[in-house]
Amino acid sequence: MTNKPSATCLVCREEIEQFQLLQNQGVPFDTLIHLVFKKDDEILNELKSGNCLMDLFCRNQKKLYFKYLKILGSKMNLKEAIECVSQIEKSSNVFFEQLLKMIAYPFFLLVFAYFMICFFSDFVLVQMKDYISSNSVLILIQVLKVLFGTSILSILLYLGLYYLFFYKYDARLKCPFSLMKKMISLQFVCMYQALEKTYSSTQEVLETLSLMDFSIVGM
């Protein structure tokens, strides 16, 4: 379901994406505004007053999508800026989704094995305790339980941090692991590739990236 724009924002992201899809399709501009945006009359009045469409899109918006859109909008036309932001997000999101697919099955086996060990320890061994002459078996089961449990928690913690740093980038956070820094640098590459298609020089690309809160990469 499409999110409604707040009282202080004229548009929401879904409306911008619909606007991009319908651009250059032969629809008159005023008609396009009426078709796509809920606050169509307000937008048309603002445009008649001399305000820029990009400024209207990004007005009072807090999400990173709109911040990137505003930065890119100062360097390229509206259509190119929307496409570039979408490409940046697509490249970043695909990598995270591929990572999840790669570890999903091994992680499921790890969790399954952990619960099997817990079941064996809490139910089976309790019944067989009187028949076990050596405590080494009991110790081994407890060690395996702790080892598997710690592994599961470590993976969840790493994925949670990786989600914050890479998938939902927040410049206020700092990477605690060198491996994660290398993985996050892939997002920098994704952004660079998307911008390189639009800009004619490397300097212009880097100047734009320097405005995009990418301090964790070490620029």
Side-chain angles (χ1 to χ4, degrees):
M1 184 174 65
T2 301
N3 296 327
K4 294 182 179 180
S6 65
T8 56
C9 301
L10 293 176
V11 302
C12 63
R13 174 174 175 169
E14 289 81 0
E15 291 175 334
I16 293 178
E17 292 173 346
Q18 292 173 11
F19 177 80
Q20 181 208 5
L21 291 174
L22 293 175
Q23 272 187 306
N24 303 323
Q25 299 298 320
V27 182
F29 183 77
D30 288 3
T31 304
L32 181 59
I33 296 295
H34 288 302
L35 287 174
V36 174
F37 300 105
K38 292 182 175 65
K39 297 186 177 181
D40 49 349
D41 292 332
E42 294 182 45
I43 292 175
L44 289 174
N45 290 334
E46 292 278 358
L47 291 174
K48 291 176 181 178
S49 300
N51 292 313
C52 174
L53 188 60
M54 178 66 75
D55 291 337
L56 298 181
F57 284 175
C58 301
R59 178 183 295 176
N60 299 320
Q61 303 281 6
K62 304 298 182 183
K63 293 184 178 181
L64 196 61
Y65 173 87
F66 293 97
K67 180 175 182 178
Y68 283 178
L69 189 62
K70 186 174 183 178
I71 292 172
L72 296 175
S74 64
K75 304 287 185 176
M76 58 186 74
N77 62 51
L78 179 60
K79 186 176 186 297
E80 291 176 338
I82 296 174
E83 290 177 349
C84 191
V85 175
S86 299
Q87 182 62 38
I88 289 171
E89 287 196 332
K90 181 181 178 181
S91 300
S92 301
N93 295 350
V94 165
F95 185 84
F96 184 78
E97 291 165 0
Q98 288 177 342
L99 175 67
L100 290 180
K101 290 179 181 178
M102 290 175 60
I103 68 171
Y105 184 67
F107 183 72
F108 169 77
L109 293 179
L110 182 64
V111 173
F112 179 78
Y114 173 74
F115 282 108
M116 287 297 295
I117 292 173
C118 290
F119 175 79
F120 188 76
S121 172
D122 296 339
F123 296 97
V124 178
L125 282 183
V126 171
Q127 303 297 328
M128 300 177 60
K129 189 173 183 180
D130 295 336
Y131 302 97
I132 298 176
S133 58
S134 175
N135 290 329
S136 58
V137 176
L138 298 175
I139 295 175
L140 177 61
I141 293 298
Q142 294 302 320
V143 169
L144 288 175
K145 183 192 292 186
V146 173
L147 181 62
F148 277 57
T150 303
S151 300
I152 293 172
L153 290 177
S154 299
I155 293 174
L156 291 176
L157 176 62
Y158 188 87
L159 287 177
L161 292 174
Y162 185 70
Y163 179 84
L164 291 174
F165 292 131
F166 187 89
Y167 194 69
K168 295 294 182 182
Y169 172 73
D170 190 337
R172 296 172 297 178
L173 305 175
K174 302 299 178 182
C175 296
F177 310 118
S178 59
L179 174 61
M180 192 177 293
K181 290 180 181 179
K182 293 178 181 179
M183 296 170 76
I184 291 174
S185 67
L186 291 173
Q187 186 179 25
F188 176 84
V189 175
C190 294
M191 297 169 73
Y192 185 95
Q193 289 178 334
L195 293 173
E196 190 179 30
K197 297 177 181 178
T198 302
Y199 291 104
S200 58
S201 70
T202 302
Q203 181 178 350
E204 290 178 315
V205 175
L206 294 177
E207 286 176 352
T208 303
L209 286 173
S210 67
L211 302 174
M212 301 178 80
D213 281 348
F214 225 85
S215 58
I216 58 174
V217 179
M219 288 191 62

